Amino acid sequence: MPKIVDHDLRRAEFAAASCAVIAEEGLGAATMRRVAERAGCTTGALTHYFPDRATLLTEALRAAHAAAGARMLAVVKRAAPPIDRLRGVLLEALPLDADRLREWRVWLAFWGATPSQPALAAENAARYVEWRGLLELLLGSLGLEPPERREEAHLLVALVDGLGLQLALQEAAAPAQRRECAARLERYLRRFERPATARG
Amino acid sequence: MPKIVDHDLRRAEFAAASCAVIAEEGLGAATMRRVAERAGCTTGALTHYFPDRATLLTEALRAAHAAAGARMLAVVKRAAPPIDRLRGVLLEALPLDADRLREWRVWLAFWGATPSQPALAAENAARYVEWRGLLELLLGSLGLEPPERREEAHLLVALVDGLGLQLALQEAAAPAQRRECAARLERYLRRFERPATARG
């Protein structure tokens, strides 16, 4: 019987192997050879799915974004008050546990390489548009008008990136620092419980 | 007459050459050989000042931080209303012109490598403590009490990092995007013109 291989599954495995290498050893370490090794196959088998390193890395970045995006959508679909859904989505974007920290290490590695690589920059820009769009939707359900939604979504994205960065740049953030980070976001979100005139 | 070389000046030149290579080609490109080349000397001459790559890169990161820090201190010393000095300091941390964008590309490159390198993580952490300390001082001169100063300094650092990231990740941010980024910060700072009870 011939070996049956699911094409998409195999691609996802290679993307995951790339992310693991990147999170642990940095982007430079994620060569075709090293990723194939990590996925337990030959470089030839990897090349069958991804002709070169640039294609593989773009797919890895996409996979990391997709994983975070899927968790966020699951939060959005929960039957919960709008402010809880907004908080839940934002918390998914912070490196508050080992999995999300790995994800952040992948972002950090890519960000270091992004300015000089137009394909990565484009991929990144597209994801940020989606991310802000989701936040605008949630802010709308909190009663914010479109111009304010747009502004607040920009601020929230920046805030979450900046807070996440502080945790992710540490070798290992202490549980207390993670709690402090989540509490800081929580306090910031209280502004959305006030009328717009008091928010300013 | 013997060739006279100022030791500190030479070290600063090598740090600057490292930053130039990192900003243009990424951290991986900043090898001893490449940096020596960029500084117009032999690898042997570079090794005389920096025994290895790790020492050179830590110095490069320090130099990039020092340059930003010096600009911020110059702003602080200006005779201007506290809110203008706060705004001025924060603007120095955003990639709103070619020089500051280069600086950001250096941060981005280092951030990608930081989690796996304790020396860089420590250097980074020390600079963030200074950076927040300066902001707390400026927020104090705006009349904020210590606990609120601390909280707002954390939020401002995160916000500026997040806003800066959005600009720095683009191949070349349009002038309109830079203006929008500065305007966003400006709007955020209006909260400090209100009494604490309305800020919340």
PDB file of all heavy atoms in Angstrom, chain B residues 164-180:
ATOM      1  N   GLY B 164       6.063  52.706  17.622  1.00  0.00           N
ATOM      2  CA  GLY B 164       7.328  52.704  16.883  1.00  0.00           C
ATOM      3  C   GLY B 164       7.474  51.449  16.043  1.00  0.00           C
ATOM      4  O   GLY B 164       7.888  51.494  14.881  1.00  0.00           O
ATOM      5  N   LEU B 165       7.083  50.340  16.636  1.00  0.00           N
ATOM      6  CA  LEU B 165       7.170  49.053  15.944  1.00  0.00           C
ATOM      7  C   LEU B 165       6.410  49.082  14.621  1.00  0.00           C
ATOM      8  O   LEU B 165       6.894  48.618  13.595  1.00  0.00           O
ATOM      9  CB  LEU B 165       6.591  47.981  16.868  1.00  0.00           C
ATOM     10  CG  LEU B 165       6.716  46.533  16.436  1.00  0.00           C
ATOM     11  CD1 LEU B 165       8.167  46.101  16.432  1.00  0.00           C
ATOM     12  CD2 LEU B 165       5.920  45.633  17.370  1.00  0.00           C
ATOM     13  N   GLN B 166       5.196  49.656  14.658  1.00  0.00           N
ATOM     14  CA  GLN B 166       4.367  49.714  13.453  1.00  0.00           C
ATOM     15  C   GLN B 166       5.061  50.460  12.321  1.00  0.00           C
ATOM     16  O   GLN B 166       4.962  50.080  11.166  1.00  0.00           O
ATOM     17  CB  GLN B 166       3.035  50.409  13.757  1.00  0.00           C
ATOM     18  CG  GLN B 166       2.115  49.592  14.623  1.00  0.00           C
ATOM     19  CD  GLN B 166       1.690  48.310  13.950  1.00  0.00           C
ATOM     20  OE1 GLN B 166       1.279  48.337  12.793  1.00  0.00           O
ATOM     21  NE2 GLN B 166       1.826  47.201  14.629  1.00  0.00           N
ATOM     22  N   LEU B 167       5.736  51.536  12.664  1.00  0.00           N
ATOM     23  CA  LEU B 167       6.456  52.297  11.633  1.00  0.00           C
ATOM     24  C   LEU B 167       7.712  51.552  11.190  1.00  0.00           C
ATOM     25  O   LEU B 167       8.017  51.472   9.999  1.00  0.00           O
ATOM     26  CB  LEU B 167       6.875  53.670  12.162  1.00  0.00           C
ATOM     27  CG  LEU B 167       5.810  54.743  12.301  1.00  0.00           C
ATOM     28  CD1 LEU B 167       6.457  56.038  12.779  1.00  0.00           C
ATOM     29  CD2 LEU B 167       5.092  54.992  10.972  1.00  0.00           C
ATOM     30  N   ALA B 168       8.434  51.018  12.174  1.00  0.00           N
ATOM     31  CA  ALA B 168       9.739  50.425  11.870  1.00  0.00           C
ATOM     32  C   ALA B 168       9.622  49.136  11.064  1.00  0.00           C
ATOM     33  O   ALA B 168      10.547  48.765  10.351  1.00  0.00           O
ATOM     34  CB  ALA B 168      10.510  50.168  13.156  1.00  0.00           C
ATOM     35  N   LEU B 169       8.476  48.458  11.163  1.00  0.00           N
ATOM     36  CA  LEU B 169       8.317  47.183  10.451  1.00  0.00           C
ATOM     37  C   LEU B 169       8.021  47.390   8.973  1.00  0.00           C
ATOM     38  O   LEU B 169       8.044  46.445   8.196  1.00  0.00           O
ATOM     39  CB  LEU B 169       7.200  46.346  11.081  1.00  0.00           C
ATOM     40  CG  LEU B 169       7.563  45.669  12.405  1.00  0.00           C
ATOM     41  CD1 LEU B 169       6.376  44.904  12.938  1.00  0.00           C
ATOM     42  CD2 LEU B 169       8.760  44.740  12.230  1.00  0.00           C
ATOM     43  N   GLN B 170       7.718  48.622   8.600  1.00  0.00           N
ATOM     44  CA  GLN B 170       7.477  48.882   7.189  1.00  0.00           C
ATOM     45  C   GLN B 170       8.784  49.157   6.481  1.00  0.00           C
ATOM     46  O   GLN B 170       9.715  49.684   7.075  1.00  0.00           O
ATOM     47  CB  GLN B 170       6.551  50.072   7.036  1.00  0.00           C
ATOM     48  CG  GLN B 170       5.198  49.812   7.659  1.00  0.00           C
ATOM     49  CD  GLN B 170       4.365  51.060   7.685  1.00  0.00           C
ATOM     50  OE1 GLN B 170       4.243  51.752   6.690  1.00  0.00           O
ATOM     51  NE2 GLN B 170       3.799  51.342   8.835  1.00  0.00           N
ATOM     52  N   GLU B 171       8.809  48.766   5.199  1.00  0.00           N
ATOM     53  CA  GLU B 171      10.027  49.005   4.430  1.00  0.00           C
ATOM     54  C   GLU B 171      10.381  50.489   4.489  1.00  0.00           C
ATOM     55  O   GLU B 171      11.494  50.869   4.767  1.00  0.00           O
ATOM     56  CB  GLU B 171       9.805  48.568   2.989  1.00  0.00           C
ATOM     57  CG  GLU B 171      10.626  47.360   2.616  1.00  0.00           C
ATOM     58  CD  GLU B 171      10.636  47.216   1.126  1.00  0.00           C
ATOM     59  OE1 GLU B 171       9.552  47.174   0.529  1.00  0.00           O
ATOM     60  OE2 GLU B 171      11.741  47.170   0.550  1.00  0.00           O
ATOM     61  N   ALA B 172       9.407  51.324   4.195  1.00  0.00           N
ATOM     62  CA  ALA B 172       9.610  52.762   4.306  1.00  0.00           C
ATOM     63  C   ALA B 172       8.255  53.383   4.617  1.00  0.00           C
ATOM     64  O   ALA B 172       7.353  53.357   3.785  1.00  0.00           O
ATOM     65  CB  ALA B 172      10.169  53.331   3.009  1.00  0.00           C
ATOM     66  N   ALA B 173       8.107  53.871   5.843  1.00  0.00           N
ATOM     67  CA  ALA B 173       6.836  54.476   6.237  1.00  0.00           C
ATOM     68  C   ALA B 173       6.661  55.790   5.490  1.00  0.00           C
ATOM     69  O   ALA B 173       7.608  56.553   5.317  1.00  0.00           O
ATOM     70  CB  ALA B 173       6.814  54.708   7.743  1.00  0.00           C
ATOM     71  N   ALA B 174       5.441  56.027   5.002  1.00  0.00           N
ATOM     72  CA  ALA B 174       5.144  57.271   4.300  1.00  0.00           C
ATOM     73  C   ALA B 174       5.140  58.428   5.303  1.00  0.00           C
ATOM     74  O   ALA B 174       4.854  58.211   6.484  1.00  0.00           O
ATOM     75  CB  ALA B 174       3.785  57.152   3.629  1.00  0.00           C
ATOM     76  N   PRO B 175       5.476  59.642   4.836  1.00  0.00           N
ATOM     77  CA  PRO B 175       5.438  60.804   5.736  1.00  0.00           C
ATOM     78  C   PRO B 175       4.084  60.918   6.448  1.00  0.00           C
ATOM     79  O   PRO B 175       4.031  61.268   7.625  1.00  0.00           O
ATOM     80  CB  PRO B 175       5.666  61.986   4.800  1.00  0.00           C
ATOM     81  CG  PRO B 175       6.442  61.412   3.664  1.00  0.00           C
ATOM     82  CD  PRO B 175       5.949  60.006   3.501  1.00  0.00           C
ATOM     83  N   ALA B 176       2.992  60.592   5.747  1.00  0.00           N
ATOM     84  CA  ALA B 176       1.657  60.698   6.361  1.00  0.00           C
ATOM     85  C   ALA B 176       1.531  59.739   7.547  1.00  0.00           C
ATOM     86  O   ALA B 176       0.919  60.062   8.555  1.00  0.00           O
ATOM     87  CB  ALA B 176       0.579  60.390   5.323  1.00  0.00           C
ATOM     88  N   GLN B 177       2.128  58.548   7.432  1.00  0.00           N
ATOM     89  CA  GLN B 177       2.059  57.583   8.536  1.00  0.00           C
ATOM     90  C   GLN B 177       2.863  58.069   9.733  1.00  0.00           C
ATOM     91  O   GLN B 177       2.484  57.860  10.870  1.00  0.00           O
ATOM     92  CB  GLN B 177       2.586  56.232   8.078  1.00  0.00           C
ATOM     93  CG  GLN B 177       1.673  55.555   7.069  1.00  0.00           C
ATOM     94  CD  GLN B 177       2.286  54.285   6.529  1.00  0.00           C
ATOM     95  OE1 GLN B 177       3.388  54.307   5.985  1.00  0.00           O
ATOM     96  NE2 GLN B 177       1.578  53.188   6.673  1.00  0.00           N
ATOM     97  N   ARG B 178       3.989  58.718   9.447  1.00  0.00           N
ATOM     98  CA  ARG B 178       4.785  59.262  10.547  1.00  0.00           C
ATOM     99  C   ARG B 178       4.025  60.368  11.270  1.00  0.00           C
ATOM    100  O   ARG B 178       4.006  60.432  12.489  1.00  0.00           O
ATOM    101  CB  ARG B 178       6.111  59.819  10.013  1.00  0.00           C
ATOM    102  CG  ARG B 178       7.047  58.737   9.525  1.00  0.00           C
ATOM    103  CD  ARG B 178       8.328  59.322   8.973  1.00  0.00           C
ATOM    104  NE  ARG B 178       9.247  58.258   8.587  1.00  0.00           N
ATOM    105  CZ  ARG B 178      10.381  58.446   7.938  1.00  0.00           C
ATOM    106  NH1 ARG B 178      10.760  59.671   7.615  1.00  0.00           N
ATOM    107  NH2 ARG B 178      11.161  57.440   7.626  1.00  0.00           N
ATOM    108  N   ARG B 179       3.358  61.212  10.471  1.00  0.00           N
ATOM    109  CA  ARG B 179       2.571  62.295  11.086  1.00  0.00           C
ATOM    110  C   ARG B 179       1.435  61.728  11.917  1.00  0.00           C
ATOM    111  O   ARG B 179       1.140  62.201  13.008  1.00  0.00           O
ATOM    112  CB  ARG B 179       2.010  63.227   9.994  1.00  0.00           C
ATOM    113  CG  ARG B 179       3.011  64.254   9.475  1.00  0.00           C
ATOM    114  CD  ARG B 179       2.308  65.370   8.690  1.00  0.00           C
ATOM    115  NE  ARG B 179       1.559  64.857   7.547  1.00  0.00           N
ATOM    116  CZ  ARG B 179       2.086  64.648   6.338  1.00  0.00           C
ATOM    117  NH1 ARG B 179       3.363  64.904   6.109  1.00  0.00           N
ATOM    118  NH2 ARG B 179       1.346  64.189   5.355  1.00  0.00           N
ATOM    119  N   GLU B 180       0.797  60.682  11.393  1.00  0.00           N
ATOM    120  CA  GLU B 180      -0.327  60.067  12.091  1.00  0.00           C
ATOM    121  C   GLU B 180       0.149  59.472  13.418  1.00  0.00           C
ATOM    122  O   GLU B 180      -0.535  59.576  14.442  1.00  0.00           O
ATOM    123  CB  GLU B 180      -0.938  58.963  11.215  1.00  0.00           C
ATOM    124  CG  GLU B 180      -2.325  58.543  11.649  1.00  0.00           C
ATOM    125  CD  GLU B 180      -2.863  57.337  10.862  1.00  0.00           C
ATOM    126  OE1 GLU B 180      -2.062  56.531  10.342  1.00  0.00           O
ATOM    127  OE2 GLU B 180      -4.084  57.219  10.781  1.00  0.00           O
TER     128      GLU B 180
END
